[in-house]
Amino acid sequence: DAGVIQSPRHEVTEMGQEVTLRCKPISGHNSLFWYRQTMMRGLELLIYFNNNVPIDDSGMPEDRFSAKMPNASFSTLKIQPSEPRDSAVYFCASSPLRGRNTEAFFGQGTRLTVV
Amino acid sequence: AQSVTQLGSHVSVSEGALVLLRCNYSSSVPPYLFWYVQYPNQGLQLLLKYTSAATLVKGINGFEAEFKKSETSFHLTKPSAHMSDAAEYFCAVSDRGNKLVFGAGTILRVKS
């Protein structure tokens, strides 16, 4: 299996622009997670889906952030409009929906820089 | 809610020395605990996990961790550090809905 695939790996955009990050989970995994990593705040869970349904989006920082999972093999995280403080590494992870003892598998991340 | 605390944001050891990275957890239910490693510009990779089958858990790359309920700890150890172990290490606990809650991370430096 190719693992969790994220694109792009790097994104540089200007403040105010729309940014879309993409994720393809591991085939057969029912849970998908979006995390954000910064020096100041560490790893934060933004939102997660079970069976394509958003379960908990309490970590989404503002209405500028939105996430979708239209099918089991694709998810997007959109920031509109982007701001410099959104600069971070965004990780997507997936896991089988088998309970709390199941680990998550992470993608390589997307490094976002908003200038 | 479940949480973990990692003591020491940076740990420095000499090559060949013992590695000890500390993690304490807080959980209202029997915890499921994980250690992940992150190499520069990479995603997180699972080192090992505790799922109550055994208190001493062995992982990849010679790492192991011991679950101690009385101390609410799940410290990560390796008998002999290698230069390739230099990375950032994260302890995590599984919360409801199988989402992972991560500690702040510990950067391990290995000196030659």
Side-chain angles (χ1 to χ4, degrees), chain A:
Chain A
D1 197 320
V4 176
I5 299 173
Q6 292 186 246
S7 65
R9 287 295 311 275
H10 302 273
E11 176 81 36
V12 180
T13 190
E14 292 185 348
M15 182 175 62
Q17 296 297 306
E18 176 182 302
V19 176
T20 299
L21 311 182
R22 297 173 174 80
C23 175
K24 176 179 169 56
I26 293 173
S27 178
H29 283 190
N30 307 96
S31 294
L32 184 138
F33 309 85
W34 282 101
Y35 285 88
R36 179 172 68 175
Q37 185 178 36
T38 61
M39 290 289 291
M40 292 298 295
R41 302 175 68 90
L43 271 165
E44 303 173 275
L45 178 65
L46 301 177
I47 185 171
Y48 77 98
F49 298 82
N50 284 346
N51 295 318
N52 313 336
V53 176
I55 302 299
D56 184 353
D57 65 354
S58 60
M60 297 285 262
E62 301 172 35
D63 291 345
R64 298 185 295 107
F65 286 70
S66 62
K68 294 183 179 179
M69 192 164 186
N71 56 62
S73 59
F74 184 66
S75 177
T76 59
L77 178 67
K78 183 181 294 186
I79 308 172
Q80 180 185 22
S82 58
E83 296 183 3
R85 59 196 169 114
D86 302 331
S87 298
V89 181
Y90 292 81
F91 288 103
C92 176
S94 70
S95 74
L97 188 56
R98 293 187 200 140
R100 291 174 52 239
N101 63 341
T102 308
E103 68 268 30
F105 295 78
F106 281 75
Q108 298 280 61
T110 296
R111 181 174 297 275
L112 174 65
T113 303
V114 183
V115 298

Side-chain angles (χ1 to χ4, degrees), chain B residues 17-108:
Chain B
L18 171 72
V19 175
L20 171 60
L21 305 181
R22 300 178 187 273
C23 174
N24 288 90
Y25 69 89
S26 173
S27 179
S28 56
V29 296
Y32 294 111
L33 297 159
F34 306 79
W35 275 101
Y36 281 81
V37 60
Q38 184 181 28
Y39 299 103
N41 300 314
Q42 299 290 319
L44 278 72
Q45 177 184 359
L46 181 71
L47 274 177
L48 51 82
K49 66 178 181 180
Y50 168 73
T51 59
S52 77
T55 56
L56 184 61
V57 182
K58 294 187 183 299
I60 62 172
N61 301 338
F63 284 93
E64 62 182 36
E66 185 172 9
F67 174 74
K68 291 187 177 180
K69 184 177 179 181
S70 60
E71 300 177 6
T72 62
S73 68
F74 190 56
H75 301 332
L76 182 70
T77 60
K78 182 174 181 178
S80 177
H82 192 273
M83 296 297 290
S84 61
D85 294 326
E88 188 163 15
Y89 292 80
F90 292 91
C91 182
V93 63
S94 181
D95 203 348
R96 55 186 174 84
N98 79 311
K99 65 181 181 182
L100 292 178
V101 177
F102 286 89
T106 298
I107 295 173
L108 175 65

Side-chain angles (χ1 to χ4, degrees), chain A residues 39, chain B residues 6-13 20-21 88 105-109:
Chain A
M39 290 289 291
Chain B
Q6 292 184 241
L7 301 175
S9 59
H10 293 77
V11 170
S12 183
V13 301
L20 171 60
L21 305 181
E88 188 163 15
T106 298
I107 295 173
L108 175 65
R109 178 188 170 211

